[in-house]
Amino acid sequence: MKLIKLELKRTDFKGYLLAAAGISAFCLIMAFAFPLIPKMEERSVTGDDALLFATWRGLLLPVSGLIMSCFAVMGGAMAARLVVTEYTGKNALLLFSYPVKRKAILKAKCILMWGFVFTATFLCETVSFLVVGVAANLFHFVPETFGMAEMGRVLAAGAVLGVMAASIGQISMRVGFWKKSLVASIVAAVILICPVTNLFMLGAESGMWVMVGIMVITLAGGIGCYTGLANKIENMEV
């Protein structure tokens, strides 16, 4: 806990908070746009697409995919800043001089990144659908009513997406450390979200089960990358 507090003091979160707020505003706009697209482009939208955007279950996947993608990339950037630049630059000598286990320092950094990305993703998902849901109930631009069942599904999706985004950030962190590059970490996150979002849409009929399946895979990958990186740092020589 002391190490996490130390990392909180050392890290300037103003930029990350502004980025999270900007992403949330963009995703909220897109959450409003998805159900309105079929009404605005009636001639160019197919019947299947119109049906997809006419239900809350159908809207959940594309909006959730967008939110997860944005925060996964931010997680990759944050992990690169907290870990890659610290352990591959001049700060590595300072970090290794601390009278604390190397793995403990890395663990504190990863917990910080995980906590921030998970919380930001969960809040963005929840608030976006809550605002759009209330507006839809008032102005009826979505045929279905947004009720407790839909809200429960959104809360579950928010938790799953938070784990997914943080895990992808952790996997990309390992790539960035391997390449000793902050850019490589961000590029890895972008590459990883491409197949994930495609699987979201391919499994539209299965809904939450697809999200949970992808979450398990990314979580396993994140844990594996963390373990490998921890062992690598433990044996590093400066």
Side-chain angles (χ1 to χ4, degrees):
M1 184 62 72
K2 291 182 179 179
L3 286 174
I4 296 174
K5 290 181 179 179
L6 179 62
E7 285 298 325
L8 281 170
K9 292 180 180 179
R10 293 181 67 245
T11 305
D12 183 9
F13 274 90
K14 184 177 180 180
Y16 298 124
L17 289 170
L18 288 173
I23 290 171
S24 298
F26 169 72
C27 291
L28 177 60
I29 292 170
M30 294 306 298
F32 271 106
F34 277 118
L36 294 175
I37 288 173
K39 300 180 184 300
M40 297 170 62
E41 301 289 341
E42 291 182 355
R43 295 181 180 179
S44 58
V45 175
T46 63
D48 291 339
D49 289 337
L51 184 62
L52 174 67
F53 295 132
T55 64
W56 290 110
R57 187 184 292 272
L59 286 168
L60 183 67
L61 291 174
V63 175
S64 296
L66 176 65
I67 291 172
M68 186 279 299
S69 299
C70 292
F71 282 103
V73 174
M74 193 186 80
M78 189 175 182
R81 171 63 185 84
L82 290 174
V83 177
V84 177
T85 57
E86 293 274 308
Y87 284 100
T88 58
K90 295 180 180 179
N91 288 339
L93 185 61
L94 177 62
L95 287 173
F96 293 157
S97 67
Y98 291 166
V100 182
K101 290 183 179 180
R102 295 180 179 183
K103 288 184 178 181
I105 298 175
L106 176 65
K107 183 179 180 180
K109 290 177 176 292
C110 289
I111 289 174
L112 195 60
M113 184 276 290
W114 251 81
F116 186 88
V117 174
F118 177 89
T119 303
T121 305
F122 180 81
L123 289 177
C124 181
E125 174 84 359
T126 304
V127 173
S128 294
F129 273 98
L130 182 60
V131 172
V132 175
V134 171
N137 287 349
L138 290 173
F139 300 105
H140 309 291
F141 54 83
V142 177
E144 288 186 348
T145 301
F146 186 83
M148 294 302 295
E150 287 72 26
M151 192 63 211
R153 196 175 294 117
V154 167
L155 291 172
V160 170
L161 292 171
V163 173
M164 208 182 300
S167 298
I168 290 174
Q170 198 155 285
I171 295 170
S172 64
M173 172 187 71
R174 183 66 182 92
V175 175
F177 186 88
W178 172 46
K179 291 291 185 178
K180 294 181 171 57
S181 168
L182 188 150
V183 175
S185 180
I186 297 172
V187 170
V190 173
I191 292 173
L192 285 168
I193 63 175
C194 291
V196 170
T197 50
N198 283 333
L199 285 172
F200 268 26
M201 300 314 299
L202 288 174
E205 294 182 0
S206 301
M208 279 296 301
W209 291 110
V210 173
M211 289 188 185
V212 173
I214 298 171
M215 181 200 71
V216 171
I217 294 171
T218 54
L219 180 60
I223 293 172
C225 288
Y226 167 78
T227 303
L229 182 58
N231 293 331
K232 179 75 174 178
I233 289 174
E234 185 71 20
N235 299 318
M236 275 181 66
E237 294 182 4
V238 181

